[in-house]
Amino acid sequence: MLLIVDMRGNVMRNRCHLAIAVSLAAAFAAGPAAGSQANDLDPGCVQKLAAAGAPADFADLVGTLPAMEKKTPYESTADYERRLAAASGTSSAALLLARKPTRVGEGLSYDAERRILKIYATAFGAGAINFTMIFGMAPHGQDAFASAVAFSLEATEESKDSYEATNGFGAKAMVNRTTRRVHAVWERHGKRGESQFAGKNAFTPLAEIVIAPDLARDVIERGTIAFLAVPTPPFKATGVDGVAPDFQRPRERVDNVTALIADVQCAYVRQSDGTAIAAFAVR
């Protein structure tokens, strides 16, 4: 009998989830499907996906989590950490979060001659947001080029406008400004050049999977990117990120970011029917 244990050590006995997990575990044990390499399907992440259910709605999820006051100048670090620990039991369930790419096939590349699908970290929105800048979460002396364990989930355009600006030489120009609403999931700051994914190189494809053209098209055009994460205190944060205009590029982008703060456990590339063709453990 296969038992699934959640992140709090509780045995899950739901028969439906158990049946799905057994099916996926058996498929994994039988060998990688569609020519994928064994290390492209982390077995623990495959089992957790079976128990996760449907993806959660980001806005609804964030709305149900408690709002915690930031650390004040009058609160010691120890007191703040005790406050976070006291709130840690508010949410312990592992939730599935889907990502909406900024373009079809973002971070996915298919070589039709070799029948190889390449998966890059950009497929998961890795490195898309400067969390150090917008949230001030970095400790004192944090490396400015550190790689955060964080992912952009969705960016929705809210408005466009223009304004007149003057550059350092006194020349005037019209700047086109785009404002977006961005959803993200953030765990912690990493180290310079560190991959967000356990056992993976930050500068090479995460995986190269041999698959047929029809399956590649399904994954790229109709598949989904998803994460498994457990919300952790202080649960959520908001801030502003973006791209400032310069002399050669009179365009500005303003991103109003809402981030779910969570223990990110796994990341998936899935077919349109929800079957995972790649499952990576996150640090």
Side-chain angles (χ1 to χ4, degrees):
M1 178 179 182
L2 175 66
L3 297 178
I4 302 174
V5 181
D6 68 15
M7 295 308 296
R8 301 295 171 181
N10 300 314
V11 176
M12 302 181 64
R13 302 183 182 276
N14 183 286
R15 292 184 178 179
C16 179
H17 286 167
L18 183 59
I20 297 173
V22 169
S23 176
L24 282 171
F28 183 82
S36 65
Q37 300 300 310
N39 62 359
D40 298 333
L41 280 167
D42 180 276
C45 288
V46 170
Q47 290 190 359
K48 291 173 184 176
L49 177 62
D57 180 86
F58 182 89
D60 290 345
L61 170 61
V62 169
T64 61
L65 293 171
M68 297 193 66
E69 184 181 359
K70 295 181 179 179
K71 182 180 179 299
T72 71
Y74 310 103
E75 185 178 28
S76 69
T77 300
D79 286 342
Y80 176 66
E81 291 179 349
R82 277 193 288 270
R83 187 154 57 86
L84 293 183
S88 62
T90 304
S91 177
S92 60
L95 303 168
L96 198 63
L97 297 167
R99 178 173 192 262
K100 183 178 180 180
T102 56
R103 58 177 176 81
V104 174
E106 180 181 16
L108 302 174
S109 174
Y110 187 61
D111 182 340
E113 302 301 324
R114 299 168 60 205
R115 295 197 169 194
I116 290 177
L117 176 70
K118 294 184 179 181
I119 303 172
Y120 297 87
T122 50
F124 302 93
I129 298 175
N130 187 338
F131 286 87
T132 300
M133 178 181 294
I134 64 176
F135 297 143
M137 291 178 174
H140 179 71
Q142 171 70 46
D143 183 349
F145 298 97
S147 300
V149 179
F151 308 92
S152 170
L153 297 179
E154 180 180 8
T156 304
E157 187 176 298
E158 292 188 309
S159 65
K160 285 187 174 182
D161 63 351
S162 300
Y163 62 91
E164 187 176 70
T166 304
N167 65 20
F169 299 99
K172 292 184 178 181
M174 291 300 297
V175 177
N176 296 318
R177 177 170 53 196
T178 300
T179 302
R180 305 190 306 174
R181 181 181 72 253
V182 176
H183 294 161
V185 58
W186 185 93
E187 180 179 318
R188 62 178 173 82
H189 288 277
K191 299 177 181 179
R192 184 191 293 247
E194 179 184 43
S195 172
Q196 290 84 0
F197 302 91
K200 299 294 180 178
N201 189 307
F203 306 105
T204 61
L206 295 174
E208 296 185 352
I209 303 173
V210 179
I211 62 174
D214 288 347
L215 179 56
R217 172 173 288 183
D218 178 75
V219 172
I220 291 174
E221 298 184 2
R222 296 178 293 277
T224 56
I225 301 296
F227 301 91
L228 193 75
V230 178
T232 59
F235 301 116
K236 50 192 173 184
T238 58
V240 179
D241 190 26
V243 177
D246 56 33
F247 180 73
Q248 295 180 322
R249 188 178 181 276
R251 295 190 295 274
E252 180 182 11
R253 192 187 76 227
V254 179
D255 290 342
N256 296 311
V257 182
T258 299
L260 169 70
I261 300 173
D263 170 19
V264 189
Q265 300 173 0
C266 301
Y268 305 94
V269 178
R270 306 192 300 168
Q271 299 170 211
S272 60
D273 65 1
T275 301
I277 68 162
F280 306 108
V282 177
R283 293 186 184 278

